[in-house]
Amino acid sequence: MTTPLRVAVLGAKGRIGAEAARSVEAAPGLELVAALDREDTLESLTEAGAQVAVDLTHPDAVLGNLEYCIAHGIHAVVGTTGWTDERLASVRGWLAASPSTGVLIAPNFSIGAVLTMRFAQQAARFFESAEVIELHHNNKADAPSGTATRTAQLIAEARAEAALPPQDDPTTHGLPGARGADVDGVPVHSVRLRGLLAHQEVLFGGTGETLTIRHDSLHHSSFMPGILLGVRSVADAPGLTFGLENFLFAGE
Ligand SMILES: NC(=O)C1=CN([C@@H]2O[C@H](COP(=O)(O)OP(=O)(O)OC[C@H]3O[C@@H](n4cnc5c(N)ncnc54)[C@H](OP(=O)(O)O)[C@@H]3O)[C@@H](O)[C@H]2O)C=CC1
Ligand SMILES: O=C(O)C1=N[C@H](C(=O)O)C[C@H](O)C1
């Protein structure tokens, strides 16, 4: 019998963290050795002998958590949002000093959302116009969502590769914000509404036609297979991996 992988969850009292702790506990081959939240100290991770930490906390907390994990050789699977190039550079810097440690940062762990990003990337070069609408519950910490930001970046990269011109927006009059946030030239609109969980529409427009790709996470369980895949894979992927697709489509 193989020894179970020792897993900790950070943010374990939160919406997704609580679901992740339950999923790890129930998953064959994994052992939940720590379920930490705001009041706990990171030393509990080392005391519990955690091999992999799952971070589902807050953009203000995740960097400190990762610095600690990497310094102690604890692999990390991160769903927490708020990633910028500068923040990713900090993580790469810490990893350089701990080269056998693996960190997966995934803007979205749900299979449908990862596929949405991939389909949007494929479609982007065929359409003159592209916009993203993300819709979330009204307690979400950030806007735009990490998923929408990544989707827009992938669309922008595909447009640039296809040498498409910048999107034409002749709007000259109106209220600030009405055209959404500009993510690399792609407008991103954020809706916050009680009753929703996590939803996204990617809209493309061309001559006489539109294409809409929509994904809905209806329950936090949608993120669990992706989180468990990350937990089981991250130790074999030293360094920084950005995006679950790197594990989901490995070998393609
Ligand atoms: N990548 C993905 O697929 C997904 C990512 N997310 C992301 O996960 C993050 C959490 O989302 P959600 O569960 O909705 O948020 P919640 O606010 O429900 O949960 C976050 C939890 O983390 C706790 N926390 C805050 N700071 C720390 C800290 N320093 N150490 C330990 N715990 C801390 C919070 O405590 P307190 O309440 O006291 O602040 C809270 O219990 C967000 O960034 C969200 O966007 C969410 C779903 C899917
Ligand atoms: O806060 C959430 O709920 C979610 N956050 C992630 C994001 O910002 O993209 C993933 C998913 O959309 C749920």
Side-chain angles (χ1 to χ4, degrees), residues 15-16 79-82 106-110 113 117 134-137 139-149 192 197-200 215 217 220 223:
R15 275 175 290 268
I16 182 167
T80 307
T81 45
N108 202 307
F109 284 108
S110 89
M117 287 187 262
E134 56 96 341
L135 310 91
H136 280 81
H137 59 89
N139 289 310
K140 183 163 173 55
D142 54 342
S145 70
T147 309
T149 302
R192 296 290 174 265
L197 201 160
H199 318 259
Q200 177 164 286
H215 174 254
S217 266
H220 279 106
F223 305 110

Side-chain angles (χ1 to χ4, degrees), residues 237-252:
L240 177 62
T241 302
F242 192 84
L244 184 69
E245 62 276 16
N246 294 288
F247 293 164
L248 200 57
F249 307 135
E252 273 185 17

Side-chain angles (χ1 to χ4, degrees), residues 25-226:
E25 243 175 345
L30 306 184
E31 186 184 353
L32 183 69
V33 294
L36 311 181
D37 211 81
R38 186 188 283 279
E39 63 279 7
D40 299 302
T41 62
L42 289 170
E43 283 70 37
S44 312
L45 288 175
T46 33
E47 284 161 19
Q51 295 167 288
V52 178
V54 180
D55 191 296
L56 300 162
T57 58
H58 189 279
D60 292 344
V62 65
L63 271 190
N65 294 345
L66 272 186
E67 186 174 13
Y68 181 91
C69 287
I70 294 168
H72 291 83
I74 300 169
H75 309 289
V77 171
V78 180
T80 307
T81 45
W83 294 100
T84 59
D85 288 347
E86 201 183 1
R87 286 173 151 235
L88 291 172
S90 298
V91 176
R92 287 196 183 91
W94 299 325
L95 282 167
S98 182
S100 58
T101 306
V103 172
L104 166 67
I105 299 175
N108 202 307
F109 284 108
S110 89
I111 309 302
V114 175
L115 289 173
T116 299
M117 287 187 262
R118 171 136 311 192
F119 297 155
Q121 196 177 11
Q122 287 172 342
R125 70 189 170 98
F126 297 105
F127 292 93
E128 188 180 311
S129 307
E131 307 218 0
V132 178
I133 306 174
E134 56 96 341
L135 310 91
H136 280 81
H137 59 89
N138 57 328
N139 289 310
K140 183 163 173 55
D142 54 342
S145 70
T147 309
T149 302
R150 185 65 186 143
T151 307
Q153 288 167 344
L154 292 170
I155 292 170
E157 280 169 23
R159 288 178 66 92
E161 269 168 36
L164 289 190
Q167 298 200 63
D168 188 27
D169 184 355
T171 311
T172 55
H173 184 83
L175 291 177
R179 293 289 294 118
D182 180 332
V183 178
D184 297 349
V186 178
V188 178
H189 310 268
S190 297
V191 175
R192 296 290 174 265
L193 203 67
R194 187 168 158 80
L196 294 180
L197 201 160
H199 318 259
Q200 177 164 286
E201 286 190 2
V202 187
L203 293 87
F204 292 105
T207 307
E209 63 175 335
T210 66
L211 169 68
T212 302
I213 305 170
R214 180 171 173 116
H215 174 254
D216 298 275
S217 266
L218 305 171
H219 189 269
H220 279 106
S221 53
S222 62
F223 305 110
M224 297 306 129

